[in-house]
Amino acid sequence: MKSLLRMMIRHFFIIYTGSILGTVVYCLIFCRDEMYGIDYFIRIFFLSVLGDLPLLVFYSKEELSRKQMAKRWGIHFCLLEAVLMAAGKYLGLYHVFLWEGVVFFLIVAMVYLIVVFFGVVIDMVTAEQMNEFIRKKNEGRFR
Amino acid sequence: MKITIEEIGATQEEQVIIRCREVNQEILDLCSKIRRHQSYVAVSCGKEIYRIAICDIFYFETVDSKSFLYGSDRVYETKLKLYEFEEICSGTAFFRASKSVVLNADKIRCVKPALSGRFEATLENGEKVVVSRQYVQDLKRALGMR
């Protein structure tokens, strides 16, 4: 549980910082004169907390198998979409449900896929580095 | 430090000789590492009790409050608790791989990513063991990456 909480706190700050940076970039490009009040930052704060909560599905007292982990990733994605769609609607991030809602859903899905993709790439690089060390270690052992 | 390995006959006793200018902490650590590597644990397989060298153990696992030691092709039961085994193996290639597993890094053939920052280690006997995300740093240390 401790490691999951650590991960949740880290994710919260990543989501919050990412959202603020996203807002800054968006405003720099599209609406330089836009003014945001304190309530906007509070809304982002709650959105970050809500986006962080679905991570609790990864909690398990025992080590999860590959299949169980894949299942939980699926549940996490559905929960995150549901939570963010509801929060997005409530916060007025999209208005007309039909097409704006679909665009919002796709943006969340795209960001999710990008995060998963980078996670996989980083893990593959780490595994390659470790395998290089194992090769060197074995060469030294059997020389 | 120069390392010399000399192959001897099957009847002769294996030994490690350290030739140094002075016996310092580094040398003492090296000696204790070699001693630990050579130490044995008592295990049982069915009704028989064995003594197996720590360096021959692939990994240690606790399942339903029972402890098991995995060799290349056999599984032994042991009375040791996970923390006791960790203490015995401290300073060797063994590291904590998950909540219930202590793995021998010397027996890892290769590593590949599993989901969610975890890694799957394939051992020399073909068995696969999952290394949890929170113990990946320990794996790197055991492999000499840090």
Side-chain angles (χ1 to χ4, degrees):
Chain A
M1 191 67 191
K2 219 190 277 176
S3 70
L4 182 70
L5 280 175
R6 257 203 307 265
M7 185 170 86
M8 285 178 76
I9 292 167
R10 200 171 55 230
H11 276 229
F12 166 77
F13 284 109
I14 291 170
I15 297 167
Y16 190 77
T17 313
S19 304
I20 298 295
L21 280 175
T23 308
V24 170
V25 172
Y26 181 83
C27 289
L28 279 173
I29 298 168
F30 298 109
C31 42
R32 279 178 165 267
D33 301 325
E34 189 77 47
M35 293 289 284
Y36 288 100
I38 187 78
D39 62 316
Y40 176 78
F41 296 96
I42 293 170
R43 277 191 296 175
I44 294 290
F45 173 86
F46 283 113
L47 199 67
S48 306
V49 171
L50 286 173
D52 207 22
L53 285 178
L55 279 172
L56 284 170
V57 298
F58 291 108
Y59 174 69
S60 167
K61 277 190 175 171
E62 277 160 24
E63 201 59 45
L64 296 170
S65 68
R66 216 182 158 88
K67 208 174 167 185
Q68 286 170 320
M69 193 53 110
K71 213 181 273 176
R72 290 191 189 210
W73 270 106
I75 297 168
H76 178 254
F77 174 73
C78 296
L79 271 176
L80 189 69
E81 280 284 10
V83 164
L84 291 185
M85 288 292 285
K89 181 90 176 120
Y90 177 72
L91 296 172
L93 293 177
Y94 63 93
H95 305 285
V96 186
F97 186 74
L98 269 177
W99 70 273
E100 280 190 5
V102 171
V103 170
F104 188 79
F105 178 92
L106 289 176
I107 288 172
V108 173
M110 201 175 69
V111 171
Y112 196 86
L113 282 177
I114 290 170
V115 171
V116 170
F117 172 77
F118 277 109
V120 169
V121 169
I122 290 168
D123 284 352
M124 280 169 78
V125 171
T126 309
E128 193 42 54
Q129 286 171 343
M130 286 197 272
N131 285 329
E132 191 56 39
F133 266 83
I134 293 167
R135 262 193 296 276
K136 277 181 194 163
K137 203 172 170 181
N138 288 344
E139 275 171 19
R141 206 172 356 148
F142 298 120
R143 202 183 294 143
Chain B
M1 194 190 289
K2 191 181 162 192
I3 298 172
T4 309
I5 299 171
E6 191 186 316
E7 284 187 45
I8 55 167
T11 52
Q12 285 175 281
E13 192 189 356
E14 285 181 321
Q15 59 176 316
V16 178
I17 299 169
I18 299 172
R19 295 176 67 223
C20 57
R21 288 193 192 92
E22 59 163 339
V23 181
N24 55 22
Q25 195 54 46
E26 202 184 341
I27 298 295
L28 290 173
D29 287 346
L30 189 61
C31 289
S32 68
K33 237 178 202 182
I34 294 166
R35 269 193 209 107
R36 273 198 216 109
H37 193 70
Q38 291 290 304
S39 57
Y40 291 83
V41 283
V43 293
S44 61
C45 186
K47 283 179 183 170
E48 289 159 340
I49 292 180
Y50 298 90
R51 224 168 57 107
I52 58 169
I54 281 185
C55 57
D56 291 333
I57 297 165
F58 278 56
Y59 65 99
F60 176 102
E61 186 180 30
T62 54
V63 183
D64 298 330
S65 67
K66 280 185 176 177
S67 306
F68 299 95
L69 287 167
Y70 295 76
S72 61
D73 54 2
R74 287 181 88 168
V75 183
Y76 307 94
E77 197 173 341
T78 174
K79 296 256 184 286
L80 289 169
K81 299 267 180 280
L82 192 111
Y83 73 91
E84 289 172 331
F85 185 74
E86 269 186 307
E87 272 170 26
I88 292 170
C89 298
S90 65
T92 65
F94 281 88
F95 70 98
R96 187 78 173 262
S98 65
K99 283 171 191 166
S100 57
V101 172
V102 178
L103 181 61
N104 187 351
D106 283 343
K107 303 293 183 191
I108 297 175
R109 189 195 293 157
C110 64
V111 174
K112 69 174 186 182
L115 279 171
S116 187
R118 305 181 317 162
F119 289 88
E120 192 179 74
T122 304
L123 309 184
E124 281 170 8
N125 61 353
E127 261 195 85
K128 289 175 167 58
V129 177
V130 169
V131 179
S132 295
R133 172 203 279 270
Q134 66 259 47
Y135 299 111
V136 171
Q137 297 307 320
D138 294 342
L139 167 63
K140 286 182 179 175
R141 218 168 290 132
L143 292 175
M145 286 173 76
R146 285 167 179 265

